[in-house]
């Protein structure tokens, strides 16, 4: 058994790959082994995978309904065998609400990443590669967005668009792309005058092709790291908006909104606010650990040594 | 001629993911007040030899030697503090690119003065005077102006002169120059060599000149060590380089295109596996 | 016969700095022409201006009898290609050799990519074993071979060589120079080669131009250097310096 494992490892690590697939897998394997060497990063990855799993099978895991509680008998119960994390002021099981809330958290994270990162990447690489007035205009717009604190700007957007989870996501996405644009631009500036970009120009490649196929792949790894590290902040902003009543609306089990509703009983029934708080903490921590690990694993400067 | 440096069976190895890599595999030589050239291609271990003597090898590397002795001081047993005191004061090193060796946020003059004052107790005005003298000694035409410039404000040749001035201000007995002129134009290169040459003659300094350029080494040094794959394959007088015995040295000499010769194609080096032994 | 490359009073200005001052030059088809000079002589700028990588302020460039405009057409790149000095900087760090060679074929819409990549690798003496390696898995000499293969894959008639061997060890330099000569012979290519090394230039080129601070110093036949038939002091100094160190008595 160990023999076949060794040869598979050798196949991946060979410096003479025989096919595109083998070369790519070999590179992925190296990245993974660098990542896996960092125990904390693996823990972070584990937390995120757990979140994904919980969100995927929420109806199977949740012992009770997240929306319907027993107002008569089960208000603000302490943690027990039937309600592991207790119940809230509507008599709903907190654990079930947390489990369903993971779907909302995931929705926020994924949508923000899908909207904000590509906008930032596009704006940054375009500005950095084109230079001149294109750069000036795009970067001044970026600066305007950067000048406002994120939460304040998000508040303004939500106030204009109306409260609700979708609008909160749009607001957060619109406020989180500027740093990505800055990073992408900085990376673009360092590579745009390199010989390998000049060589591609000499192949007759159009500027569009150069940016999309040669510059963007170089920016993506630092962007992934940054987005991952920002995830904690995004979750907190979403929770903050929820807490202020501008994000997810009742009865959605959004974690921030759950803390807000638990605030009134924090002294006597602390678990109502503490449970979603802990969930936010753990997921944020997971993303931070993952981001740190990715930074080491994807570091372009260390090549593939 | 007294011997400054004894190196016997020097070995430098680096642990890597795939095993231990031996960069230097048993190098021995002795150096007096002379110009010793170490020649070899990339990966021959010539730079690691210089760094090991200087004490600049990365931490994870392992250095072994039967004897590594500078003026009676055992360099292998010396503490980090003792080595630091030696470095810059009695043993100095010049690297290829002055850009990476000079502090970019400090004027050239101040860097030289700081170097001097870490090794000697001298007053401010005396230190300044000596720094200006040193800049003049490396043939900088307007030392007062250069004194107040930042490294990025000077050309490559000027930067390298400033670097040499900084390295020599404390009056070292041994100078290790690792490709000191490879980044420079040929004419500037010769100016720098002339400066080093005078310093060896006037101050009785020992010089280890590490380079890939056989032609330069053979015309500049007294003695040449040729390295291949971490070992010395040949040691000879610089003037007798053309009579080199080892096929590697001969191959290196032959494969360079020369003005007035018509050899198409150029002879290439046929590396023999037994050279590695 | 129309010259492969004709440059007339070419001037390149960066902001306030004049990198190239009205240099004129004609290179015949199949000729190998050398540009020699120290840093700041404008020799590399001249190559980059021809390739469209440096801004032309005034003057004209004709390739194969066709005047080049402000922007290069796609067709131009099938006639003129370039090999850069630094083998570590001219290959994309995230692409395999295969991808590097596929890119030009893809841009110009070649169909038989598989065959062409294979042939290009064979031509520069790298077997198919190197095809799926990343650039960090290659030595300096191998990288430069890949760069040459990439430049040749579009079958250009003019090859611009910007110090193609100055970052390589002497033994590797000899191999790469031999390869370049062989390719030139087989494909009847025109070379314009830049180097600071007089030995390399006289070995590779029939004619050469000595440059200093963006201007022409003098134009020579390769044999003139060997027989010391030079007229300018600057060239004489370069010649003396290239022989190594001379200890003054």
């Amino acid at each position: 058994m160990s023999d076949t494992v060794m040869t598979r490892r050798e196949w991946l690590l060979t410096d003479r790959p025989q096919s595109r697939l083998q070369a790519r897998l070999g590179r992925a394997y190296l990245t993974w082994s660098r990542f896996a060497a960092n125990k904390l990063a693996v823990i972070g990855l584990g937390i995120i995978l757990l979140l994904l799993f919980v969100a995927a099978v929420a109806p199977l895991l949740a012992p009770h309904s997240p929306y319907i509680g027993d107002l008569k008998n089960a208000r603000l119960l302490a943690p027990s065998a039937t309600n592991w994390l207790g119940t809230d002021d509507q008599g709903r099981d907190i654990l079930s609400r947390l489990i369903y809330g993971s779907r909302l958290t995931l929705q926020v994270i994924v949508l923000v990443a899908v909207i904000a990162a590509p906008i930032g990447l596009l704006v940054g690489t375009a500005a950095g590669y084109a230079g001149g007035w294109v750069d000036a205009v795009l970067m001044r717009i970026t600066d305007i967005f950067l000048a406002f604190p994120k939460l304040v700007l998000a508040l303004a957007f939500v106030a204009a668009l109306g409260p609700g989870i979708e609008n909160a996501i749009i607001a957060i996405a619109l406020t989180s792309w500027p740093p990505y644009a800055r990073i992408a631009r900085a990376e673009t500036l360092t590579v745009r005058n390199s010989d390998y970009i000049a060589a591609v120009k000499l192949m007759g490649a159009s500027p569009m092709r150069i940016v999309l196929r040669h510059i963007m792949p170089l920016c993506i790894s630092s962007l992934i790291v940054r987005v991952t590290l920002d995830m904690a902040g995004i979750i907190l902003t979403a929770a903050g908006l929820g807490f202020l009543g501008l994000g997810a609306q009742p009865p959605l089990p959004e974690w921030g909104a759950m803390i807000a509703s638990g605030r009134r009983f924090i002294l006597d029934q602390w678990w109502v606010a503490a449970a979603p708080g802990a969930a936010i903490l753990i997921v944020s921590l997971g993303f931070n650990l993952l981001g740190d690990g990715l930074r080491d694993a994807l570091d372009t400067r260390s090549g593939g040594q | 001629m007294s011997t400054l440096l004894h190196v016997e069976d020097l070995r430098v190895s680096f642990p890597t993911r795939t095993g231990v890599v031996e960069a230097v595999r048993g190098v021995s030589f002795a150096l007096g007040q002379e110009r010793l050239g170490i020649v070899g291609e990339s990966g021959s271990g010539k730079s690691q030899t210089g760094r090991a003597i200087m004490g600049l090898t990365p931490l994870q590397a392992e250095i072994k030697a039967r004897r590594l002795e500078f003026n009676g001081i055992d360099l292998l047993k010396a503490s980090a503090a003792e080595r630091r005191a030696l470095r810059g004061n009695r043993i100095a090193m010049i690297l290829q690119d002055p850009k990476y060796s000079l502090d970019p946020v400090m004027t050239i003059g101040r860097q030289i003065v700081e170097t001097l004052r870490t090794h000697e107790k001298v007053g401010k005005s005396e230190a300044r005077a000596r720094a200006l003298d040193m800049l003049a000694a490396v043939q900088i035409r307007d030392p007062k102006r250069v004194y107040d410039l930042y490294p990025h404000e000077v050309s490559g040749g000027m930067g390298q002169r400033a670097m040499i001035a900084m390295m020599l201000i404390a009056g070292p007995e041994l100078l290790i120059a690792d490709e000191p002129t490879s980044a420079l134009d040929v004419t500037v290169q010769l100016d720098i060599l002339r400066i080093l040459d005078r310093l060896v003659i006037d101050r009785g300094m020992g010089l280890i000149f590490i380079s890939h350029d056989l032609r330069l080494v053979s015309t500049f040094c007294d003695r040449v060590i040729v390295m291949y794959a971490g070992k010395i394959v040949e040691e000879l007088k610089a003037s007798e380089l053309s009579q080199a015995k080892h096929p590697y040295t001969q191959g290196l000499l032959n494969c360079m295109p020369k003005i007035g010769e018509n050899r198409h194609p150029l002879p290439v080096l046929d590396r023999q596996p037994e050279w590695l032994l | 016969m129309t010259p492969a490359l004709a440059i007339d009073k070419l001037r390149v200005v960066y902001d306030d700095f004049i990198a190239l001052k009205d240099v004129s030059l004609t290179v015949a088809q199949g000729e190998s022409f050398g540009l020699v000079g120290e840093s700041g002589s404008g020799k590399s700028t001249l190559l980059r201006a021809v390739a469209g990588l440096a801004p032309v302020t005034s003057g004209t460039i004709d390739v194969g009898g066709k005047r080049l405009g402000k922007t290069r057409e796609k067709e131009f790149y099938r006639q003129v290609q370039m090999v850069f000095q630094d083998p570590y900087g001219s290959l994309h760090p995230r692409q395999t050799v295969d991808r590097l060679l596929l890119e030009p074929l893809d841009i110009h819409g070649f169909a038989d990519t598989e065959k062409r990549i294979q042939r290009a690798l064979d031509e520069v003496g790298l077997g198919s074993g190197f095809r799926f390696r990343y650039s960090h898995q290659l030595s300096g000499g191998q990288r430069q071979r890949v760069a040459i293969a990439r430049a040749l894959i579009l079958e250009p008639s003019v090859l611009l060589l910007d110090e193609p061997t100055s970052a390589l060890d002497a033994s590797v330099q000899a191999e790469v120079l031999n390869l370049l000569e062989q390719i030139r012979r087989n494909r009847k290519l025109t070379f314009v080669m830049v180097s600071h090394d007089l030995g390399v230039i006289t070995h590779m080129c029939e004619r050469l131009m000595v440059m200093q601070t963006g201007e022409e110093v003098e134009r020579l036949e390769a044999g003139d250097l060997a027989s010391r038939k030079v007229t300018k002091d600057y060239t004489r100094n370069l010649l003396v310096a290239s022989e190594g160190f001379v200890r003054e008595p």
Side-chain angles (χ1 to χ4, degrees):
Chain A
M1 180 63 204
S2 71
D3 263 15
T4 56
V5 171
M6 264 317 284
T7 50
R8 193 175 302 150
R9 191 182 134 83
E10 275 162 16
W11 183 79
L12 284 168
L13 288 178
T14 177
D15 50 5
R16 291 181 170 251
Q18 297 302 315
S19 67
R20 269 164 224 182
L21 181 73
Q22 191 185 358
R24 221 170 280 149
L25 286 177
R27 198 179 179 91
Y29 176 73
L30 269 179
T31 308
W32 166 250
S33 54
R34 266 205 302 268
F35 179 82
N38 184 343
K39 290 286 164 296
L40 284 174
V42 176
I43 293 176
L45 180 67
I47 293 174
I48 305 310
L49 287 178
L50 191 69
L51 176 73
L52 285 170
F53 173 75
V54 168
V57 297
L60 299 178
L61 286 179
H64 302 276
S65 160
Y67 301 119
I68 302 162
D70 185 352
L71 271 173
K72 214 185 272 169
N73 304 319
R75 280 192 77 229
L76 299 169
L77 293 181
S80 67
T82 42
N83 303 99
W84 287 4
L85 293 175
T87 59
D88 66 2
D89 56 334
Q90 310 281 321
R92 298 172 295 200
D93 179 46
I94 291 179
L95 178 64
S96 304
R97 282 179 69 74
L98 277 187
I99 289 172
Y100 274 90
S102 67
R103 293 183 153 186
L104 287 173
T105 304
L106 213 58
Q107 188 190 349
V108 171
I109 291 166
V110 169
L111 284 176
V112 168
V114 165
I115 299 170
I119 295 179
L121 187 61
L122 212 63
V123 171
T125 49
Y129 188 72
W133 64 267
V134 178
D135 184 28
V137 170
L138 288 177
M139 280 300 118
R140 287 306 79 75
I141 295 173
T142 311
D143 285 344
I144 292 171
F145 275 89
L146 275 174
F148 295 97
K150 210 157 138 185
L151 188 63
V152 173
L153 197 59
L155 275 176
F157 274 120
V158 177
L161 296 168
I165 186 97
E166 296 84 10
N167 289 342
I169 290 168
I170 294 171
I172 296 169
L174 284 177
T175 53
S176 38
W177 66 269
Y180 306 145
R182 284 244 159 240
I183 292 172
R185 178 173 175 271
E187 293 266 333
T188 307
L189 287 181
T190 59
V191 300
R192 65 171 285 195
N193 289 325
S194 67
D195 280 352
Y196 55 83
I197 296 300
V200 182
K201 252 187 238 170
L202 276 184
M203 299 287 125
S206 62
M208 183 80 139
R209 189 183 178 100
I210 294 175
V211 169
L212 286 180
R213 305 191 56 162
H214 299 274
I215 292 183
M216 275 192 187
L218 288 170
C219 303
I220 277 179
S221 48
S222 47
L223 213 63
I224 288 176
V225 171
R226 180 62 196 257
V227 170
T228 317
L229 288 172
D230 274 2
M231 281 305 167
I234 289 167
I235 293 169
L236 292 176
T237 312
L241 287 176
F243 181 84
L244 294 172
L246 293 168
Q249 296 302 303
L252 283 180
E254 202 272 329
W255 294 350
M258 286 169 71
I259 299 180
S261 65
R263 180 176 49 121
R264 280 172 289 145
F265 328 107
I266 196 136
L267 291 178
D268 301 316
Q269 286 89 18
W270 53 268
W271 57 87
V272 180
I280 292 172
L281 177 78
I282 290 169
V283 173
S284 304
L285 185 70
F287 272 111
N288 268 335
L289 294 177
L290 179 69
D292 258 348
L294 284 178
R295 174 160 42 206
D296 297 339
L298 295 176
D299 187 3
T300 46
R301 273 159 293 277
S302 62
Q305 304 308 303
Chain B
M1 185 177 79
S2 66
T3 308
L4 270 174
L5 179 73
H6 283 283
V7 179
E8 256 176 61
D9 198 27
L10 176 69
R11 288 168 186 276
V12 180
S13 49
F14 294 89
T16 67
R17 204 179 280 254
T18 46
V20 177
V21 172
E22 281 198 292
V24 181
R25 308 184 298 154
V27 162
S28 306
F29 63 89
L31 176 83
Q33 282 146 354
E34 61 179 328
R35 293 160 292 236
L36 174 71
I38 302 183
V39 205
E41 298 191 290
S42 47
S44 63
K46 58 186 193 303
S47 289
Q48 288 305 334
T49 304
R51 286 173 171 268
I53 297 166
M54 189 70 187
L56 288 177
T57 315
L59 273 178
Q60 74 271 19
E62 193 189 7
I63 302 177
K64 275 189 280 190
R66 218 174 307 136
R67 189 173 174 200
L68 187 61
E69 204 176 280
F70 168 74
N71 257 342
I73 304 166
D74 187 341
L75 292 178
L76 287 176
K77 294 217 181 80
S79 69
E82 284 171 306
R83 297 219 62 170
R84 215 162 30 237
L86 279 178
R87 232 180 354 245
N89 196 6
R90 299 180 66 187
I91 309 180
M93 188 164 193
I94 307 174
L95 297 169
Q96 178 170 358
D97 200 332
K99 259 187 246 130
Y100 300 115
S101 312
L102 293 169
D103 185 342
V105 296
M106 215 192 262
T107 62
I108 287 170
R110 237 188 90 201
Q111 291 186 51
I112 299 176
V113 166
E114 297 247 318
T115 313
L116 177 61
R117 285 168 59 114
T118 48
H119 295 294
E120 266 179 69
K121 284 210 164 29
V122 286
K124 273 214 177 106
S125 57
E126 194 204 331
R128 183 184 155 86
R130 273 178 61 184
L132 285 172
D133 280 351
M134 199 63 228
L135 284 173
V138 292
Q139 293 174 355
I140 286 175
R141 257 171 248 127
D142 190 354
K144 285 216 174 81
R145 189 178 68 88
V146 174
Y147 187 93
D148 291 317
L149 293 181
Y150 287 91
H152 66 88
E153 294 173 313
V154 302
S155 67
M158 187 77 87
Q160 197 59 300
R161 282 171 221 230
M163 179 77 199
I164 295 176
M166 190 166 100
M167 282 304 151
L168 296 180
I169 186 82
E173 293 146 71
L174 171 63
L175 179 66
I176 301 169
D178 188 358
E179 305 266 9
T181 60
S182 302
L184 306 175
D185 282 328
V186 267
T187 44
V188 185
Q189 184 172 340
L190 294 185
D191 288 342
I192 301 284
L193 289 187
R194 227 159 270 137
I195 295 165
L196 289 178
D197 198 44
R198 267 223 341 265
L199 290 166
V200 173
I201 296 168
D202 297 349
R203 300 187 174 201
M205 195 172 67
L207 173 68
I208 297 179
F209 187 83
I210 300 167
S211 174
H212 68 281
D213 191 337
L214 263 176
R215 196 164 31 188
L216 201 63
V217 170
S218 65
T219 49
F220 178 69
C221 295
D222 304 307
R223 211 151 48 92
V224 181
I225 286 174
V226 184
M227 281 185 73
Y228 180 75
K231 285 193 161 187
I232 297 180
V233 295
E234 194 163 15
E235 182 180 342
L236 52 153
K237 271 193 183 162
S239 54
E240 291 165 5
L241 195 68
S242 52
Q243 292 123 47
K245 300 265 183 335
H246 197 279
Y248 175 67
T249 320
Q250 289 170 347
L252 271 190
L253 283 167
N254 274 333
C255 68
M256 277 188 293
K258 294 177 192 77
I259 299 169
E261 274 184 356
N262 201 3
R263 299 178 299 162
H264 300 269
L266 286 166
V268 294
L269 200 60
D270 186 15
R271 290 159 205 274
Q272 302 297 326
E274 64 261 27
W275 296 352
L276 289 172
L277 303 178
Chain C
M1 202 166 72
T2 46
L5 176 69
I7 293 169
D8 191 44
K9 294 205 180 64
L10 190 66
R11 177 178 278 258
V12 174
V13 182
Y14 291 106
D15 299 328
D16 300 327
F17 173 68
I18 307 174
L20 203 59
K21 291 173 201 156
D22 308 327
V23 174
S24 301
L25 169 70
T26 310
V27 183
Q29 273 173 30
E31 196 189 359
S32 174
F33 191 91
L35 297 168
V36 191
E38 301 189 293
S39 52
S41 65
K43 56 190 194 307
S44 292
T45 309
L46 192 141
L47 282 199
R48 290 184 160 258
V50 172
L53 297 173
V56 173
T57 312
S58 63
T60 59
I61 305 170
D62 293 60
V63 172
K66 197 161 167 273
R67 176 77 32 109
L68 297 182
K70 267 251 176 281
T71 51
R72 302 284 184 272
E73 289 156 33
K74 221 165 153 184
E75 207 46 39
F76 167 80
Y77 300 110
R78 294 185 58 174
Q79 283 184 295
V80 180
Q81 277 299 327
M82 183 157 166
V83 176
F84 295 86
Q85 169 176 10
D86 179 11
Y88 292 87
S90 67
L91 303 185
H92 197 285
R94 290 293 176 95
Q95 293 176 356
T96 58
V97 173
D98 177 63
R99 171 83 201 281
L100 285 166
L101 297 179
L102 185 63
E103 186 71 7
L105 297 176
D106 199 22
I107 291 169
H108 291 270
F110 283 85
D112 49 346
T113 55
E114 188 67 19
K115 219 171 65 202
R116 280 174 187 269
I117 290 173
Q118 204 61 258
R119 200 168 52 203
L121 283 173
D122 287 340
E123 190 172 9
V124 296
L126 295 173
S128 51
F130 291 90
R131 183 163 165 193
F132 298 103
R133 290 198 188 185
Y134 288 94
S135 52
H136 63 82
Q137 294 169 316
L138 303 171
S139 70
Q142 289 164 348
R143 283 166 188 243
Q144 210 57 321
R145 283 171 194 265
V146 172
I148 293 169
R150 175 176 59 185
L152 291 177
I153 206 161
L154 291 175
E155 300 178 343
S157 53
V158 178
L159 201 55
L160 308 173
L161 301 160
D162 188 1
E163 305 247 17
T165 60
S166 64
L168 305 176
D169 278 327
S171 62
V172 182
Q173 161 169 295
E175 289 167 17
V176 172
L177 291 181
N178 288 344
L179 171 70
L180 285 170
E181 277 201 311
Q182 186 199 333
I183 286 167
R184 181 174 156 233
R185 223 173 18 246
N186 293 348
R187 296 197 172 212
K188 306 195 171 37
L189 290 178
T190 307
F191 276 4
V192 182
M193 182 169 182
V194 159
S195 179
H196 66 279
D197 187 326
L198 288 174
V200 168
I201 284 289
T202 53
H203 179 79
M204 295 292 290
C205 305
E206 289 109 39
R207 290 192 304 143
L208 58 104
M209 177 156 83
V210 182
M211 296 181 68
Q212 188 188 15
T213 58
E215 285 174 294
E216 172 181 339
V217 174
E218 67 178 318
R219 213 171 290 205
L220 301 160
E221 306 275 321
D224 294 345
L225 278 177
S227 54
R228 298 289 186 271
K229 271 202 296 202
V230 300
T231 55
K232 296 289 193 314
D233 283 343
Y234 181 71
T235 316
R236 212 164 282 133
N237 283 341
L238 280 185
L239 256 176
V240 171
S242 73
E243 281 163 2
F245 185 73
V246 182
R247 191 154 285 124
E248 280 142 14

